[in-house]
Amino acid sequence: MRLPRTLPRSLAGQLFAMQALLVAAVVAGCAFFAYASGRSQAEETAARQVRAAALAMAGSPSVREAIRTPDPSAVLQPYAEQVREDTGIAFVTIMNPDGVRWTHPDPGQIGRSFIGHTERALLGETFEETYTGTLGPSIRVVTPVRDGDRIVGLVSAGITVERVSTQVREQLGALGTAAGAALALGALGTYVINARLRRHTHGMNAGELSRMHTYHEATLHAVREGLLMLDGQRRVALINDAGRELLGLAPGSVGRRVDELALPASLTGALLASEPRVDEVHLTADRVIVVNTSPVVGGERRGTVVTLRDHTELQALSGELDSERGFTQALRSQAHEAANRLHTVVSLIELGRVEEAVDFATAELELAQVLTDRVVDAVAEPVLAALLLGKAAQANERGVELVLTEDSLIDDGALPHSLAPRDLVTILGNLIDNAADAASETATGEAGGPVPAQRTATRALVTVTARTDSGELLLRVADTGAGIGPADADEVFRRGWTTHGTGRGLGLALVRQAVHRNGGTVTLGRAAGGGAEFTVRLPLAGRTAGTEVAAP
């Protein structure tokens, strides 16, 4: 029968066991050291005690006088027992130089030979030894009794090893109690600490934590959506590769405050906000990102979780879709207008006015063909040519004439592959749309208030210049609109700036972003007709990033 495999102990449990063993080992070591030290000290104390008693008795005049008497035991035995009881030592033996006892705790041993060494004492030396006598192993001191220059006797005082051990055991009991209390206290503290650790690790063991960390790191690197985590002080606690790329941050951004990351003001405000943000669109220098924030709250604000989604491509595709819709509507209108003109030609023929019908048809064809021929001759880049023709048709439907200047010239292959066609569409398309809006509003008075008399006779006109010049692509769009005032010159490229209603104002911000992405510059000035004039310069080789805005 196969036994079920037990699950690995949690990390907190493993640490508790290790810490409990460590505390037990430390307490046991301290107890052993204290026992050894206490026993050594007890033996040293006993040796000092018996030495002092033996020397005191050997130097006592009464002992010398008693030795001179015919029966020294009669005087010395009571005296020795009194000293033994007063000092608490095990025995006091006074003997003659031959080692015959005059005193002993057991009176039956008086008159018998001393069990131990006396040679060094007979030479005048006081010495200490541990020896087994009639009372068992003892720590004893032997010293001579002098009468003048002669050694007339010997004194041996001692304490049994058993008594020393008893004293040590008594001390060890108190030490054991203290050691047990220390062990219990250490175990309790270890349990409390590990209970908290268990809560934080959710009872997982080291292997599970290691695997979770591995999966966590792999997920952060694999997820293409940006993830940013801020702590309670608004410092970057964690950011994945996609988030660092979307925000354009350096690798050392972890630990820095959000307001130190040089992000756009609106994006910084969203990250620092205490309330959640849902699907907010923000622009960085190169990207359009959608931001969602969610505070992490647990009794107090502990941080913020931020997700970032890249909508740069989606925004570009949305702009292209809007352009396609505009083209479709323009083509529908042109088809309707062509049908009306065809009916007019047919009617003139039916009325027999053939020459007038030919003149009418030829004039319409010439008007339609002039701009097409001009664009095709001047702009060999197919994306720009198609964009200009489409925008011309859209502008014409709104009563705005689009004109390509005579100095416009872009040869086929002049633009490098690094200059994305989508960025050209974003830049030139948005500038023409804004210019057409401004020109048509001024011509019809939609911009607010009556139109001055001197401007009502002016046709709505958008002038476009597109040429390569000194290693750069020059795109200039001017209109006959009302222009942009000096007060708005610094804000015109900010997301949300518009002269129209809410929900707009993204076009010029996207223009600035595309220009910056390609290392170019965009400037704002005043056109000859009084309207706004935007000039974009994009390097054809090499990048010198920067966006410049000049007041009109």
Side-chain angles (χ1 to χ4, degrees):
M1 179 178 177
R2 188 177 181 180
L3 295 176
R5 187 177 65 177
T6 58
L7 293 176
R9 185 186 295 272
S10 67
L11 179 62
Q14 294 177 19
L15 289 178
F16 174 75
M18 292 177 61
Q19 290 173 349
L21 289 175
L22 180 61
V23 170
V26 170
V27 171
C30 292
F32 176 78
F33 176 76
Y35 171 76
S37 176
R39 184 177 183 87
S40 176
Q41 291 179 357
E43 291 176 352
E44 291 179 3
T45 301
R48 288 196 299 269
Q49 184 179 4
V50 296
R51 177 181 288 270
L55 290 174
M57 295 182 68
S60 175
S62 60
V63 172
R64 288 194 296 271
E65 292 177 359
I67 292 175
R68 297 188 190 107
T69 62
D71 186 10
S73 295
V75 178
L76 295 177
Q77 175 68 11
Y79 173 70
E81 287 298 301
Q82 183 66 42
V83 171
R84 184 179 67 82
E85 292 178 0
D86 292 343
T87 58
I89 59 180
F91 66 89
V92 175
T93 299
I94 304 175
M95 69 199 83
N96 64 18
D98 296 327
V100 178
R101 300 187 186 101
W102 286 325
T103 66
H104 196 276
D106 180 7
Q109 298 294 330
I110 296 175
R112 296 183 179 181
S113 297
F114 174 74
I115 301 176
H117 300 96
T118 60
E119 294 82 359
R120 294 166 62 185
L122 291 175
L123 296 176
E125 180 184 354
T126 299
F127 67 95
E128 174 188 333
E129 68 174 352
T130 300
Y131 200 85
T132 302
T134 57
L135 300 179
S138 61
I139 300 172
R140 60 181 65 180
V141 171
V142 182
T143 187
V145 179
R146 297 177 183 274
D147 188 2
D149 294 332
R150 293 183 307 110
I151 296 177
V152 295
L154 302 174
V155 176
S156 176
I159 185 169
T160 62
V161 174
E162 178 62 26
R163 180 175 296 184
V164 174
S165 299
T166 300
Q167 294 176 354
V168 173
R169 281 195 296 271
E170 291 175 355
Q171 296 175 357
L172 188 61
L175 178 63
T177 301
L183 180 61
L185 184 62
L188 178 61
T190 301
Y191 176 78
V192 171
I193 294 174
N194 283 275
R196 182 174 182 180
L197 178 62
R198 188 180 297 108
R199 287 196 302 271
H200 287 295
T201 58
H202 302 285
M204 290 186 291
N205 58 46
E208 292 171 334
L209 288 174
S210 178
R211 285 193 299 272
M212 176 172 288
H213 176 73
T214 302
Y215 295 149
H216 169 268
E217 288 295 319
T219 301
L220 286 180
H221 288 290
V223 171
R224 299 312 304 160
E225 187 173 81
L227 179 62
L228 174 66
M229 294 185 182
L230 307 177
D231 61 16
Q233 284 71 44
R234 304 298 197 279
R235 294 190 299 260
V236 178
L238 183 146
I239 185 170
N240 67 348
D241 296 341
R244 187 179 295 111
E245 181 181 355
L246 289 176
L247 297 179
L249 300 180
S253 55
V254 175
R256 298 176 59 188
R257 288 181 54 85
V258 171
D259 51 10
E260 298 174 353
L261 300 179
L263 298 175
S266 61
L267 179 56
T268 301
L271 298 180
L272 293 177
S274 57
E275 69 278 359
R277 299 296 180 94
V278 179
D279 291 339
E280 285 192 359
V281 178
H282 292 273
L283 273 70
T284 65
D286 300 315
R287 298 180 182 274
V288 179
I289 59 177
V290 176
V291 178
N292 285 272
T293 67
S294 177
V296 179
V297 180
E300 60 182 5
R301 183 182 179 90
R302 296 183 178 178
T304 305
V305 176
V306 182
T307 59
L308 309 167
R309 298 198 306 273
D310 189 1
H311 270 219
T312 306
E313 298 293 329
L314 181 60
Q315 189 66 44
L317 291 175
S318 177
E320 292 181 10
L321 179 60
D322 290 341
S323 297
E324 293 296 335
R325 287 174 178 171
F327 295 157
T328 302
Q329 293 175 358
L331 289 174
R332 186 182 296 114
S333 298
Q334 287 181 347
H336 185 270
E337 184 64 20
N340 290 336
R341 293 169 182 170
L342 181 60
H343 286 307
T344 302
V345 171
V346 171
S347 298
L348 288 174
I349 293 174
E350 289 177 348
L351 293 174
R353 307 177 70 170
V354 177
E355 293 183 1
E356 294 182 12
V358 172
D359 293 340
F360 178 80
T362 303
E364 290 297 323
L365 287 175
E366 289 177 353
L367 290 175
Q369 192 65 29
V370 169
L371 181 61
T372 300
D373 293 341
R374 177 76 189 94
V375 170
V376 172
D377 291 340
V379 181
E381 177 62 37
V383 174
L384 288 181
L387 178 66
L388 289 172
L389 291 175
K391 291 300 181 182
Q394 285 183 289
N396 184 58
E397 291 300 321
R398 302 175 60 182
V400 178
E401 182 181 357
L402 189 146
V403 176
L404 186 64
T405 61
E406 293 295 332
D407 60 343
S408 296
L409 179 61
I410 299 179
D411 295 329
D412 188 14
L415 302 185
H417 295 292
S418 59
L419 190 57
R422 181 171 295 172
D423 286 342
L424 292 178
V425 172
T426 298
I427 295 170
L428 192 57
N430 279 289
L431 291 180
I432 292 176
D433 286 341
N434 287 348
D437 286 342
S440 63
E441 288 175 359
T442 303
T444 59
E446 293 179 2
V451 180
Q454 66 272 21
R455 297 189 64 98
T456 56
T458 303
R459 59 176 179 168
L461 185 65
V462 173
T463 304
V464 178
T465 301
R467 70 171 186 266
T468 55
D469 183 20
S470 300
E472 63 183 9
L473 173 64
L474 172 66
L475 300 175
R476 180 177 292 122
V477 178
D479 61 69
T480 56
I484 298 175
D488 296 325
D490 294 333
E491 297 292 323
V492 66
F493 291 99
R494 180 177 54 84
R495 175 184 173 272
W497 186 92
T498 179
T499 58
H500 301 83
T502 58
R504 305 185 65 179
L506 191 60
L508 290 178
L510 292 176
V511 169
R512 181 184 66 172
Q513 188 182 78
V515 170
H516 182 276
R517 187 162 51 244
N518 289 279
T521 61
V522 54
T523 58
L524 168 62
R526 182 173 294 278
E533 181 181 82
F534 289 89
T535 302
V536 174
R537 297 179 183 274
L538 300 175
L540 298 181
R543 293 171 57 115
T544 55
T547 300
E548 177 184 344
V549 179

